Amino acid sequence: MANKTLFQSFLGKFIPPATTTNEAGGVAYQLSPKAALAQYAATGCLSTTFYASAETQLQSILSLCSHPEIEPEFIARLALYTRTKGHMKDTPALLCAVLSVSSPGLLAEVFDRVIDDGRMLRNFVQIMRSGVVGRKSLGTLPKRLVQSWFSQRTDEQIFRASVGNDPSLVDVIRMVHPKPQTPSRAALYGYLIGQPHDASALPEIVKQFESFKAGQTIEVPNVPFQMLTSLDLKPEHWKQIAKNAPWQMTRMNLNTFVRHGVFEGDPAMIQLIADRLRDPQAITQARVFPYQLLMAYIQTGNDVPPQVREALQDAMEIATRNVPKIDGQIYICPDVSGSMHSPITGHRSGATSAVRCVDVAALVAATFLRTNPTAEAIPFKEAVIKDLTLNPRDSIMTNSSKMTAIPPGGTNCSAPLAWLNTRQAKGDLVVFVSDNESWVDQARGRGTATMEQWTIFKARNPAAKLVCIDLQPHATTQAAETGRSDVLNIGGFSDTVFDVIAEFSKGSLNSNHWVGLIEQMSI
C-alpha cells in the first residue's frame, strides 16, 4: 500500500496557499481585482445579503473601480457585459456613473447599450444625483446623453416608460429639458410635467388613455397596467389588459388575472396566455432569468388554469436550453446550506425577492440533469446529502423542489469532492453552485480544503475541470484559478453562465477565463 502521508505531502506542493479569509471566517483565495469587480457587478443588486450590507457592496465596487489594475475600458466592457449578458440593472448603471467621472468619452460609447430602457435611465440618474461617484449633478456630457436618450425614442415609448418613481421619468425631463422635435413631442412633455400644452397634438396613445379615464370609451388603452389600477376596472377591462400585456407583465400577474376573472369561462383567453408564456421569441426578448420562471410556477395559485401552469414549465425548458450537453461524467453540486436560504438579490425594504440562493442553485442542478441525464447531483451543506433520488426525466420544477426542501446547515464546499474521492470516482466536470462561503472545512495544509480535495480528484482524473458558480457578491473563492486551465470561477444567475461553462468545458476560453470574455466585449 502507498504511503498516504507521503502521497498527500507530494500533492500538497501543487496546492496554492490560501491568501485571505472569507466573510464566514474560512480560509479562501482572494479574487484578482478584475475578477472581484466582475463578481460584484454580475451578482450584486446593492441590497443587503447574508454576509454583506448594501453599503459594503457599494464601497467595494467603488474601491475596485479605482484600483490601479482596473482601467476604464474594463469598467465600460463590464457595464456592457452585465447589462446585455447578465441582465443586471443596478450595477451596470453604477458603472456608467463611475465612467462619467473617470472617462466621459467611454461613457458616451456605451451609454445607449447599457441605459437601454426607462428603468435603467432612472437608475443612472438616481445614482448620479446621490453623489456616490463624487458629483451630485449630471454634468454637461451625461446631460447631453440623457437628452439624446429621449430623442431616440418614440412618443409611445416615452409615455409607456413614465411608470416608476425616485426619480420618475417626469423628474428626469424637468432636470435635463429635452428639446422636442415635433408638435406631438412638445405636447407630450407638457402633459407629463403638468405644463400648458396642445391637447390635440398629444400622441394617440395618450388620447386613448385620457378618453378611457374620462369614461368616454370602454376600449382599454395599451399602456402599462400600473397606469390603470387606480381606476374602477371591470372584468372585461382586465381581459383587455391581459390581451395587451407583454411577456414579463403576464408572468408576474397570473394570480392578479385570476382575482379579476380574466380566465373565468374563457378557454380562448387561457390558450392565448399559455401560448404567450411558451413563445420562444418572447422569452428571449424578455431577458428572463430562469429562476423567475421557477418562482412564477411556485407562486401561482391553484386557481391558475393547469394549461397556464404547464406553459410555465414549457417556458422553463426553453429558458434553460443553453445548458451545455457535455461529454463524459458530470457532477453538479448545489449548496443547500443556511446562508443559501437568503434572497438571491438581497434584502431591500419593500422589494425583497422571494427567490433564495438555494432556489437558483437547485434550478441550475436540475437543468444540468435535464440536458445531461448521466450527470449526478450532489447537494451539500456541512456534508453531502446521500439519500436524495432525482430522475433526469422529471421536470426541472420537480427536481428543483426536491433539492430546496432539504433542511439547511453549515457550509462545507469540499464535502462533495471528498465524497467523490472516497468513492474513487471518475469524472470530467465538477460544477459547484454556491455562495462560496465555506467555513466548516478548515484545511490541514496551506490551501483550502476544496483545493486539497480537487488536487486529489485531479490526480485521478487529469483532464477534469472544476467550475465554481458564485451567486453572491464577494471577492473570495474556494478554488484558485490563477495560472490554471482546469478551474473556472464565474458569478451570476443568467443563462449566460451556461454558455461560459460550455466554452470552458471545450477548452475554448483564453487563460483569463471569465474575465477574458468580458475583455472581449466590443466598446
Side-chain angles (χ1 to χ4, degrees), residues 194-487:
Q195 294 290 328
H197 59 277
D198 181 1
S200 65
L202 284 170
E204 189 60 32
I205 190 172
V206 182
K207 293 178 181 178
Q208 294 171 1
F209 176 63
E210 287 298 317
S211 295
F212 182 74
K213 283 173 58 180
Q216 298 169 355
T217 177
I218 61 172
E219 188 69 25
V220 179
N222 186 11
V223 298
F225 87 106
Q226 294 94 329
M227 294 182 173
L228 305 170
T229 51
S230 63
L231 307 178
D232 183 20
L233 299 177
K234 296 178 172 56
E236 56 266 29
H237 296 143
W238 277 101
K239 285 180 181 288
Q240 290 187 52
I241 291 173
K243 285 181 180 179
N244 294 335
W247 192 93
Q248 282 281 27
M249 185 265 195
T250 301
R251 172 190 69 83
M252 297 170 65
N253 290 279
L254 295 175
N255 291 329
T256 301
F257 291 165
V258 168
R259 289 197 302 272
H260 293 284
V262 168
F263 300 119
E264 194 170 330
D266 196 339
M269 176 62 74
I270 294 172
Q271 191 63 49
L272 183 150
I273 297 300
D275 289 344
R276 179 185 298 157
L277 289 172
R278 63 166 64 96
D279 179 6
Q281 184 176 357
I283 293 169
T284 300
Q285 291 176 344
R287 295 192 287 194
V288 61
F289 288 119
Y291 76 74
Q292 292 174 322
L293 285 165
L294 173 65
M295 295 314 296
Y297 180 80
I298 292 173
Q299 293 178 342
T300 51
N302 294 330
D303 294 330
V304 173
Q307 299 97 310
V308 174
R309 289 174 59 84
E310 290 168 6
L312 284 172
Q313 295 203 54
D314 293 339
M316 175 65 79
E317 302 291 340
I318 294 168
T320 56
R321 62 188 175 187
N322 286 348
V323 175
K325 180 165 178 45
I326 299 171
D327 294 332
Q329 180 60 50
I330 304 171
Y331 300 103
I332 177 74
C333 310
D335 182 352
V336 297
S337 63
S339 60
M340 292 288 287
H341 286 250
S342 61
I344 185 68
T345 55
H347 296 275
R348 180 179 295 181
S349 179
T352 298
S353 171
V355 184
R356 304 164 300 171
C357 296
V358 68
D359 297 315
V360 178
L363 174 60
V364 173
T367 55
F368 264 95
L369 286 179
R370 188 72 165 173
T371 308
N372 301 274
T374 61
E376 182 179 347
I378 311 175
F380 71 94
K381 41 186 179 177
E382 67 274 359
V384 300
I385 309 301
K386 303 176 184 178
D387 56 353
L388 182 68
T389 302
L390 300 174
N391 183 350
R393 295 190 177 185
D394 282 343
S395 71
I396 292 171
M397 303 290 193
T398 298
N399 281 331
S400 296
S401 298
K402 288 181 179 179
M403 285 181 273
T404 56
I406 299 170
T411 308
N412 181 353
C413 287
S414 66
L417 288 169
W419 189 55
L420 290 172
N421 287 332
T422 299
R423 294 164 50 191
Q424 293 293 300
K426 296 290 186 179
D428 300 279
L429 179 67
V430 180
V431 179
F432 279 79
V433 195
S434 173
D435 60 6
N436 263 309
E437 293 300 312
S438 194
W439 58 271
V440 172
D441 52 343
Q442 295 299 324
R444 291 167 295 180
R446 62 179 191 166
T448 64
T450 298
M451 282 305 287
E452 287 181 356
Q453 294 298 331
W454 175 244
T455 302
I456 297 171
F457 186 90
K458 183 77 173 174
R460 191 170 59 255
N461 302 279
K465 294 187 175 181
L466 173 66
V467 175
C468 297
I469 305 174
D470 197 331
L471 301 178
Q472 289 288 269
H474 303 302
T476 64
T477 179
Q478 288 295 294
E481 74 172 44
T482 302
R484 303 180 66 110
S485 61
D486 62 328
V487 178

